[in-house]
Amino acid sequence: MKRSLYNMALAICTAAAMYSCSLDEYNPSDTSGEGELKTVEGLKNLGTYCYSPLYDQMFSASDYLAVAETGTDLWLTQNNKTTLQQLFYYEGLTTSTNATDKLFSQAYACINTCNAVINRAADVTEGDKNVLKVVVAEAKCLRAYYYLVLVTNYGNVTLVTTESTDTKIMNPTRSSQEEIYNLIITDLQEAAADLNTTPMDGNYARVTKKAALGLLARAYAQGAGEGLSENGVSYWQRAKEVAEDLIANMASYNAYLYDDVEDVWAQSNNRNNKEALFIASGPQAGTDAFTYGSYGANKLFTFTFDESYRVEKILVNKLSDIYPVGSKQNYFYGRVNNNYYAPSKYLVDCFDARYDKRWENSFTTAFSLFSMVQAGWRTYDDKNATITLTEDLCTKYGIDSKFVGKKIYPYVDVNAINLGSNGGNQYVASVWPKGEYSGDVNKLVKVKNPYVNPYPLAEDEDRFIVYLSKEYLSDAEKAKRGYICVNIDDLFAADGKYKETFIDAQQTNTYTLFPSLNKFNFNFEGGFYGSNLQCKTGDMFIMRMAEVYLIAAEAEERLGNGAKAAEYLNVLRKRACRNEADFEANMKLTTATEDDVLDEYARELCGEFTRWALLKRHKAFETRLPKYNPRAAVNFSQKNYLRPISYTFLNQIENSAEYGTNGY
């Protein structure tokens, strides 16, 4: 017999079987029973499962990233491959496409849990009523978030506000966008009123007032793109009001914007990031029970590095003659066997790296050796930790012969501290100072983010072997450098696609080389994950304060206030600029157009799960795809403003033909 997707099991033990709870420092016991749910503590435990898919299912794997970011002006597949072409290029996108199918089910599963918490609150007879109020507010905030994901991607879905029972919904009907957005807005308003400015139990993974307000601004902006209004007032006006209130009263909401964009991505700020409004919490510290399949770890990074950076595949021929330790080199940069996301020419060109620090804080373009002296995996000597440029190597890779005999030293050292009986390791990266060749681990230094390379790479740099240059280097300029140089602009054909083949003067096949997104390369010092250095354990942003500034600018521009929009954009541009003089001369805006807003979103939030929704609310696919993603433009049609309804869901209900597939 067919089963409705909405008929998800309520019992906590069942929920625990469906998802592993990823709330940092809070893993409730698997209790069940109606009696437990009549206590505040029991309902609070159930409420933790409202968070379940955020890290384990959505923000630590490639599926949701593909749904939320690709098919836009920002990303192309590495090597122009057909991998994930359904979402990158709208080629063969169907109801059974895995990423969109899973997202639909994940969202509804957690909506059911949220509904149970909200509706069962009236039956609670034991416990602190103030705590109960917060528990319900959290569930409303999360229900609104999941419905916003659904309505953004799938349009008119079915609004369900009651928990599943044995009575199956076999003939669901679609709700209007107005009905869905009304619930989202009401939930977020009520959540913001009842949530505190500090998280319950001090658990930063839980939503607070600032999260509800941030999501409210986002929801108004998304609904504005659908032409919605509230009591005759445009949603753009409402988005402006909420965003500007949050900005003006940051301190009272316990919200924050870092003065320096580097601090957003500092490794030390990962578990206490003040700019975060809402996070997907990574694995907690202090337990050695993590395994790749059963507990959350950030697997996103495995999908953001191209396999060309694998040492044995980096150029036409193997770089095994350069890298002495073989594939161990890829550990520092992440697992590199399944990688898809290559920035478009538009995204690369968005950054003026001469002034904007967001370039190197978003992309890795210089690749080095690394040592593991502290971990005892190797010794610091010429055989294990350095490269000596021979005449053959210089000829092969186009390095000037004057560098024959030069040594390339490691940039970082990665320690592996064993923390438990299951072999769990904590990985701590430190940097070898330039000019320090002793191998003395006491000389290692901590930096804000060891995955952010010095920019621009100095001519005399001797800690990196491959450099993708944002600024164009002539042959004469390359000859000054004792490392392999590739101009990023040379990777692209005139139509904006990556060249199918590219052979430069150095005889390097670079058609799969590209700047690699490094935002997700968080390795929390305290979290650990088996013995697998390739997996990352850091938190992920669902929303941060910078987006509120962007929404404020976006709303002001939509309302015709370009000068005011520029003021909000300038706050982000100024903190990203390398110095005050350059900001005033080269980055400061006096007014902002729609393109200015979209460009700033690209610089600030590229890869942060916002781009597809942004282009949708601006109805910008038809104008931007032909210029920046021509392969996608060929296939894009009006139906692609919605994702296909889940095949799994359609196969479970009795009125699938009537319900429809959104044109797929």
Side-chain angles (χ1 to χ4, degrees):
M1 184 174 68
K2 293 183 177 182
R3 179 177 64 87
S4 170
L5 179 64
Y6 306 124
N7 188 33
M8 298 296 179
L10 173 63
I12 298 175
C13 59
T14 302
M18 292 171 58
Y19 307 107
S20 62
C21 184
S22 356
L23 280 178
D24 188 73
E25 299 178 351
Y26 197 38
N27 295 297
S29 60
D30 297 341
T31 59
S32 62
E34 294 295 315
E36 287 289 330
L37 298 180
K38 292 184 178 181
T39 70
V40 171
E41 191 64 25
L43 204 66
K44 178 181 172 184
N45 284 347
L46 177 60
T48 64
Y49 294 103
C50 300
Y51 294 87
S52 294
L54 293 178
Y55 198 89
D56 287 353
Q57 305 289 327
M58 293 176 68
F59 288 89
S60 65
S62 70
D63 295 327
Y64 185 49
L65 181 64
V67 174
E69 283 284 313
T70 66
T72 66
D73 48 0
L74 296 192
W75 306 103
L76 310 177
T77 53
Q78 56 97 350
N79 195 18
N80 303 316
K81 288 185 177 179
T82 58
T83 308
L84 283 182
Q85 74 271 20
Q86 299 95 333
L87 292 167
F88 275 87
Y89 306 119
Y90 306 98
E91 296 171 358
L93 182 60
T94 68
T95 60
S96 59
T97 298
N98 187 55
T100 56
D101 184 56
K102 286 169 57 179
L103 179 63
F104 191 92
S105 301
Q106 290 161 1
Y108 268 117
C110 280
I111 285 170
N112 187 65
T113 308
C114 294
N115 288 339
V117 172
I118 295 165
N119 296 331
R120 286 178 176 256
D123 299 326
V124 171
T125 58
E126 179 184 328
D128 189 329
K129 296 298 183 181
N130 289 321
V131 174
L132 179 63
K133 182 174 71 172
V134 175
V135 169
V136 173
E138 286 186 12
K140 288 181 178 180
C141 184
L142 291 165
R143 181 171 71 177
Y145 171 74
Y146 295 125
Y147 267 124
L148 183 58
V149 169
L150 286 171
V151 74
T152 298
N153 285 281
Y154 305 97
N156 295 25
V157 294
T158 301
L159 194 63
V160 181
T161 58
T162 58
E163 66 186 80
S164 297
T165 66
D166 290 336
T167 302
K168 302 172 178 64
I169 304 174
M170 301 302 298
N171 293 277
T173 59
R174 292 180 182 248
S175 304
S176 69
Q177 294 221 17
E178 289 82 357
E179 291 174 306
I180 299 169
Y181 272 100
N182 284 341
L183 178 75
I184 292 169
I185 299 302
T186 300
D187 272 355
L188 290 172
Q189 289 172 335
E190 293 178 357
D194 289 342
L195 288 168
N196 298 316
T197 58
T198 56
M200 187 161 54
D201 298 334
N203 185 345
Y204 71 94
R206 292 186 174 274
V207 292
T208 60
K209 191 181 293 291
K210 64 183 179 182
L213 291 172
L215 291 174
L216 181 59
R218 180 191 282 181
Y220 274 130
Q222 200 64 41
E226 302 299 328
L228 298 179
S229 61
E230 183 178 84
N231 299 321
V233 179
S234 164
Y235 266 27
W236 284 122
Q237 178 65 27
R238 295 299 192 219
K240 160 186 150 68
E241 293 168 353
V242 176
E244 292 183 338
D245 172 65
L246 186 49
I247 291 169
N249 299 288
M250 277 196 292
S252 64
Y253 293 129
N254 199 30
Y256 192 82
L257 187 81
Y258 284 111
D259 293 330
D260 188 337
V261 74
E262 291 180 359
D263 291 324
V264 177
W265 306 107
Q267 297 282 299
S268 60
N269 290 337
N270 181 245
R271 288 289 170 106
N272 60 348
N273 198 290
K274 294 192 292 184
E275 188 163 314
L277 299 178
F278 185 14
I279 60 97
S281 176
Q284 68 187 71
T287 175
D288 63 351
F290 302 152
T291 64
Y292 189 86
S294 66
Y295 201 92
N298 177 7
K299 299 178 280 290
L300 263 179
F301 193 70
T302 71
F303 296 92
T304 57
F305 263 80
D306 179 57
E307 66 183 28
S308 61
Y309 291 125
R310 220 171 167 175
V311 295
E312 68 267 29
K313 294 185 177 182
I314 192 167
L315 301 172
V316 167
N317 298 302
K318 296 180 180 180
L319 275 183
S320 57
D321 51 0
I322 288 183
Y323 286 114
V325 201
S327 63
K328 292 291 187 186
Q329 288 300 330
N330 78 74
Y331 283 175
F332 178 65
Y333 294 118
R335 187 193 298 267
V336 291
N337 58 328
N338 290 299
N339 311 282
Y340 308 132
Y341 298 81
S344 66
K345 185 67 162 54
Y346 159 72
L347 180 54
V348 170
D349 289 345
C350 260
F351 295 87
D352 192 331
R354 296 171 299 173
Y355 315 121
D356 197 333
K357 293 186 290 185
R358 289 175 295 190
W359 171 249
E360 67 267 26
N361 280 275
S362 300
F363 295 99
T364 295
T365 57
F367 298 87
S368 67
L369 295 169
F370 75 95
S371 60
M372 297 198 78
V373 178
Q374 293 183 96
W377 288 19
R378 71 177 72 161
T379 57
Y380 192 99
D381 56 34
D382 286 354
K383 179 180 179 181
N384 289 287
T386 66
I387 299 167
T388 299
L389 294 178
T390 64
E391 185 174 350
D392 286 345
L393 287 174
C394 288
T395 300
K396 181 177 179 180
Y397 297 115
I399 302 171
D400 194 280
S401 60
K402 67 185 179 185
F403 293 107
V404 171
K406 175 189 174 182
K407 294 187 183 300
I408 306 291
Y409 295 88
Y411 176 60
V412 296
D413 186 80
V414 182
N415 198 4
I417 305 169
N418 190 274
L419 298 181
S421 59
N422 290 342
N425 289 323
Q426 174 186 128
Y427 302 105
V428 182
S430 303
V431 170
W432 292 108
K434 188 177 178 182
E436 177 54 55
Y437 311 129
S438 68
D440 181 357
V441 296
N442 294 312
K443 301 295 181 64
L444 290 165
V445 297
K446 289 286 188 180
V447 296
K448 284 186 178 181
N449 190 334
Y451 301 97
V452 174
N453 304 136
Y455 185 86
L457 204 62
E459 288 183 3
D460 64 348
E461 182 61 72
D462 59 1
R463 296 172 296 172
F464 299 88
I465 186 60
V466 180
Y467 177 50
L468 305 183
S469 181
K470 181 70 164 65
E471 283 72 51
Y472 200 88
L473 299 177
S474 66
D475 290 343
E477 291 170 319
K478 290 179 180 179
K480 300 176 184 178
R481 301 164 185 259
Y483 46 82
I484 303 165
C485 296
V486 176
N487 289 315
I488 294 174
D489 281 350
D490 289 339
L491 303 177
F492 294 95
D495 61 1
K497 296 180 181 178
Y498 282 92
K499 294 180 179 178
E500 294 296 328
T501 59
F502 173 71
I503 308 294
D504 68 5
Q506 294 134 340
Q507 297 299 300
T508 58
N509 186 347
T510 60
Y511 69 99
T512 56
L513 292 177
F514 55 83
S516 298
L517 189 69
N518 63 15
K519 286 183 172 182
F520 306 127
N521 201 3
F522 281 131
N523 208 16
F524 172 59
E525 296 182 12
F528 59 96
Y529 196 86
S531 57
N532 193 344
L533 177 59
Q534 299 167 337
C535 295
K536 307 302 175 182
T537 55
D539 295 337
M540 304 287 291
F541 291 117
I542 297 176
M543 190 175 189
R544 58 187 175 92
M545 193 64 199
E547 186 179 344
V548 179
Y549 279 80
L550 289 166
I551 291 171
E554 182 185 5
E556 291 283 12
E557 190 279 329
R558 292 288 83 187
L559 294 168
N561 305 321
K564 187 63 176 178
E567 291 180 18
Y568 289 116
L569 298 183
N570 282 335
V571 173
L572 302 179
R573 293 164 76 89
K574 185 174 183 177
R575 73 164 186 169
C577 195
R578 302 191 188 279
N579 59 69
E580 180 81 18
D582 282 336
F583 169 71
E584 294 292 334
N586 300 292
M587 290 186 69
K588 189 175 182 178
L589 297 171
T590 57
T591 189
T593 65
E594 181 182 35
D595 281 342
D596 289 326
V597 171
L598 297 181
D599 291 349
E600 205 62 37
Y601 264 100
R603 297 182 193 99
E604 186 69 34
L605 296 184
C606 61
E608 294 186 54
F609 305 86
T610 62
R611 194 64 179 184
W612 193 86
L614 177 70
L615 295 194
K616 179 184 177 181
R617 64 181 182 251
H618 284 262
K619 305 295 188 289
F621 292 102
E622 290 94 340
T623 56
R624 297 182 75 84
L625 292 183
K627 292 190 290 186
Y628 307 129
N629 189 350
R631 181 174 166 186
V634 171
N635 303 296
F636 188 88
S637 65
Q638 281 297 307
K639 74 176 183 181
N640 297 124
Y641 274 100
L642 296 174
R643 305 303 198 181
I645 297 294
S646 161
Y647 169 83
T648 303
F649 166 68
L650 294 172
N651 198 46
Q652 291 169 341
I653 62 176
E654 293 178 344
N655 64 332
S656 58
E658 178 186 351
Y659 199 92
T661 64
N662 287 346
Y664 293 88

